[in-house]
């Protein structure tokens, strides 16, 4: 019997999980991407691109495609998609698991200012002109048009279009991972005195946090949004084991 699994992706872990699950001949895996990245990394499994049309649309898709397990492996800040996924699972009765990588914790030497939104981060920079590294991607960069007095270094995977309506901005196209040594060199080269970041967690983008700590630079950290309470795991291996057990509970018990 083939078990049909839908993974809501867009993260490195989603791709890794899909690769792991497809090794089982009895799993049929589809990876769904929102389509926000213009040149996504090759995924190695069947891919569906684009939105569903909210929770109702996702529920219709789950029933139409006879999905037996829904996995939310979206970015920690994709709160609306996560909410829609939980609601679609509730409507259809399709089981749902989430892959939730732990957030970063501040350590001695960090100068974090915690805020609840990107708009609040723009205000937290203060009125005096600063050199700011925006490491939040391109989706919400325009929130910083409300603080045009700062000089911005903006890094994203895809170009920021249209460019920000601020007098001074440098745009950097790059895809992680970003080692700490490289991040430190970048911060020093541009004379950065404030970093704006989301608490993505994981190692791939932690370099800028460690570099800021080493250089004594303030980090304006946008807290994670609240996410639905669904069964979850913190790592790809943990979730893969959970999925194996879900479909093979008798075999796992050795009965």
């Amino acid at each position: 019997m083939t078990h049909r699994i839908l993974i809501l992706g867009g993260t490195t872990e989603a791709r890794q999980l899909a690769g792991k699950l497809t090794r089982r001949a009895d799993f049929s895996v589809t990876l769904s991407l929102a389509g926000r990245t213009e040149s996504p990394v090759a995924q190695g499994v069947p891919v569906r691109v684009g939105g569903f049309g909210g929770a109702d649309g996702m529920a219709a898709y789950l029933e139409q495609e006879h999905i037996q397990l829904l996995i939310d492996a979206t970015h920690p800040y994709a709160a609306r998609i996560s909410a829609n996924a939980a609601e679609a699972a509730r409507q259809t009765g399709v089981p749902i698991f989430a892959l939730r990588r732990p957030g970063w914790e501040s350590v001695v030497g960090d100068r974090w200012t915690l805020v609840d939104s990107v708009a609040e981060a723009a205000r937290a920079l203060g009125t005096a002109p600063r050199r700011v590294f925006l490491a939040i991607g391109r989706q919400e960069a325009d929130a910083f048009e409300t603080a045009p007095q700062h000089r911005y270094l903006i890094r994203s995977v895809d170009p920021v279009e249209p460019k920000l309506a601020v007098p001074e901005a440098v745009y950097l196209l790059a895809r992680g991972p970003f080692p700490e040594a490289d991040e430190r060199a970048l911060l020093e080269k541009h004379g950065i005195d404030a970093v704006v970041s989301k608490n993505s967690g994981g190692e791939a983008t932690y370099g800028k946090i460690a570099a800021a700590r080493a250089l004594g630079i303030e980090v304006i950290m946008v807290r994670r949004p609240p996410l639905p309470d669904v069964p979850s795991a913190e790592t790809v291996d943990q979730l893969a084991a959970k999925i194996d057990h879900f479909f093979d509970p008798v075999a796992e018990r050795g009965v």
Side-chain angles (χ1 to χ4, degrees):
M1 177 182 175
T2 300
H3 303 295
R4 297 175 65 83
I5 300 172
L6 177 65
I7 302 176
L8 306 178
T11 58
T12 302
E13 288 96 335
R15 188 172 74 251
Q16 292 169 344
L17 179 66
K20 210 172 183 65
L21 296 183
T22 52
R23 292 176 198 157
R24 276 189 51 160
D26 58 337
F27 284 176
S28 172
V29 179
T30 299
L31 184 56
S32 175
L33 303 177
R36 290 190 177 133
T37 302
E38 293 171 7
S39 52
V41 174
Q43 305 296 319
V45 297
V47 171
R48 176 197 177 282
V49 177
F52 291 91
D56 293 346
M58 193 182 298
Y61 180 90
L62 295 178
E63 291 184 328
Q64 178 186 321
E65 297 297 322
H66 306 292
I67 299 299
Q68 293 162 280
L69 179 63
L70 176 61
I71 299 169
D72 176 9
T74 56
H75 194 273
Y77 288 79
R80 181 171 294 173
I81 299 173
S82 292
N84 287 344
E87 174 59 19
R90 189 194 66 77
Q91 285 183 23
T92 58
V94 173
I96 181 172
F97 292 151
L99 183 56
R100 301 258 170 87
R101 83 170 77 126
W104 299 316
E105 302 282 345
S106 61
V107 299
V108 174
D110 280 326
R111 294 178 54 210
W112 287 12
T113 297
L114 298 175
V115 297
D116 289 321
S117 68
V118 171
E120 195 180 326
R123 291 192 293 272
L125 288 170
T127 54
R130 304 176 74 177
R131 293 172 185 247
V132 180
F133 178 32
L134 290 189
I136 57 167
R138 64 174 181 155
Q139 297 290 331
E140 298 177 88
D142 60 356
F144 293 86
E145 291 181 342
T146 60
Q149 70 273 29
H150 307 301
R151 299 171 67 172
Y152 292 103
L153 172 64
I154 303 165
R155 184 168 66 196
S156 57
V157 173
D158 295 313
V160 176
E161 297 290 353
K163 298 278 192 277
L164 298 196
V166 297
E168 293 192 73
V170 173
Y171 298 88
L172 189 59
L173 291 182
R175 191 193 296 269
F178 302 108
E180 179 184 347
D182 294 355
E183 297 290 69
R184 184 167 178 161
L186 182 71
L187 297 178
E188 289 182 319
K189 176 185 174 186
H190 291 272
I192 298 300
D193 58 47
V195 174
V196 179
S197 174
K198 292 180 175 180
N199 193 337
S200 302
E203 295 177 10
T205 59
Y206 186 70
K208 63 179 176 287
I209 307 301
R213 179 169 61 243
L215 296 170
I217 294 172
E218 181 186 12
V219 176
I220 313 288
M221 184 69 77
V222 183
R223 290 188 182 95
R224 292 184 172 191
L227 295 173
D229 183 14
V230 301
S232 63
E234 292 187 346
T235 69
V236 170
D237 287 346
Q238 286 171 4
L239 189 54
K242 214 175 175 77
I243 293 163
D244 282 341
H245 185 73
F246 175 76
F247 285 113
D248 300 329
V250 176
E252 287 288 320
R253 289 197 300 269
V255 175

